[in-house]
Amino acid sequence: MFARITGAAFRGILVAMLFAMPTLILPASATESPEIILFIALLGSALAFTEYNSHFPSFVEFRNAPPINRMRFAACAASVGALSLLAAHPLEPTGLTALIHRLGGWLGGQLDFAYSPVQLTVLMLPPQVPEATMLMVRDAAGLVCAIAGAAIAGFALVIRVGHWPVGSGAFNVWVNLPLFDPTTGGDVVQRLQRDARVNIIGGVLLPFALPAAVKLASGLVDPGILAAPHMLIWVISAWALVPASMIMRGMAMQRIAGLIMHKRRAAGSAADEALQTA
């Protein structure tokens, strides 16, 4: 019990630090409502502690199947940290912010090709937005796209080389997929495969669809809010990492479906051998 409480508390602290990271990195002049950020950090910390301290799962998937959630969190922390340093460079430049600025400029330039998500993100901005803001959005999108791609590739390597989730022990569907009911709606394997395809296709299309939707709803949503550092950090991070998380979820469900099919074939072969022996 002590280990569970300690682990839940550590996760809660990490979540709080994630939400507070932009405020800690950006200058004080760029933060208008620190009390709201503190409240969100404490709320996120309490939710993480409650979820991981409970014996019964509620909404967090793959709770006992590392390292998928750890990789998601690491990607989010890397994204928020990198974008915070990128946004801090025009305000208080340092050697580290200059390094991230140059890296973001290179990635943004490389990924800003025809019909790419980075180019669509820049094109959704209104014409009156200053060029410096457009370049900042482009560089931020390039950075986060690289981080999201690295997270997806890393998880694919974990599945391929680390034999996830078998390498972490027995996989409990109820604990790791609390929102998935295996007792309703047809064959479990077919449902897992269908959900996997939906998540992967949705994750691939979302980075293209969101800028187009914002452009169409320009009268309701002002893309110019990305000029604010905090909005830039959280909006661009969500734009890339939510689709990446969906793709990773689809890969995980496809892997679980494959394991169930393999177990069924093994059980069928064993039954056939038993009948032949009898």
Side-chain angles (χ1 to χ4, degrees), residues 193-210:
Q193 291 176 338
R194 182 180 67 246
D195 290 352
R197 287 192 290 268
V198 169
N199 277 272
I200 292 174
I201 293 173
V204 171
L205 294 180
L206 206 56
F208 299 90
L210 286 178

Side-chain angles (χ1 to χ4, degrees), residues 2 10-11 29 72 79 81 94 107 140-141 147 182 187-188 216 250-251 255:
F2 178 76
F10 180 69
R11 288 176 172 87
S29 58
R72 286 171 167 175
S79 172
T94 63
L107 288 172
I147 294 171
D187 185 68
V188 174
L216 292 174
M251 294 165 60
R255 169 66 171 166

Side-chain angles (χ1 to χ4, degrees), residues 4 6 13 15-16 20 35 51 77 118 163 193 243 249:
R4 187 180 70 254
T6 304
I13 292 172
V15 171
E35 62 278 359
E51 174 66 24
V118 174
H163 305 290
Q193 291 176 338
R249 183 178 187 269

Side-chain angles (χ1 to χ4, degrees), residues 15-123:
V15 171
M17 292 177 61
L18 173 66
F19 284 108
M21 190 183 301
T23 304
L24 297 176
I25 294 177
L26 290 170
S29 58
T31 304
E32 298 180 355
S33 303
E35 62 278 359
I36 297 178
I37 297 172
L38 177 62
F39 172 75
I40 295 174
L42 293 176
L43 180 61
S45 176
L47 289 175
F49 176 80
T50 303
E51 174 66 24
Y52 280 91
N53 188 47
S54 173
H55 288 286
F56 306 101
S58 57
F59 63 91
V60 175
E61 295 183 328
F62 307 110
R63 195 176 73 170
N64 292 345
I68 178 171
N69 286 341
R70 297 173 186 177
M71 296 181 71
R72 286 171 167 175
F73 182 84
C76 187
S79 172
V80 172
L83 295 194
S84 299
L85 292 170
L86 181 68
H89 182 69
L91 304 173
E92 287 187 0
T94 63
L96 183 58
T97 62
L99 176 64
I100 297 297
H101 179 72
R102 286 196 294 269
L103 178 62
W106 181 78
L107 288 172
Q110 294 296 316
L111 297 176
D112 186 13
F113 52 86
Y115 304 109
S116 71
V118 174
Q119 186 185 72
L120 294 177
T121 305
V122 174
L123 292 177

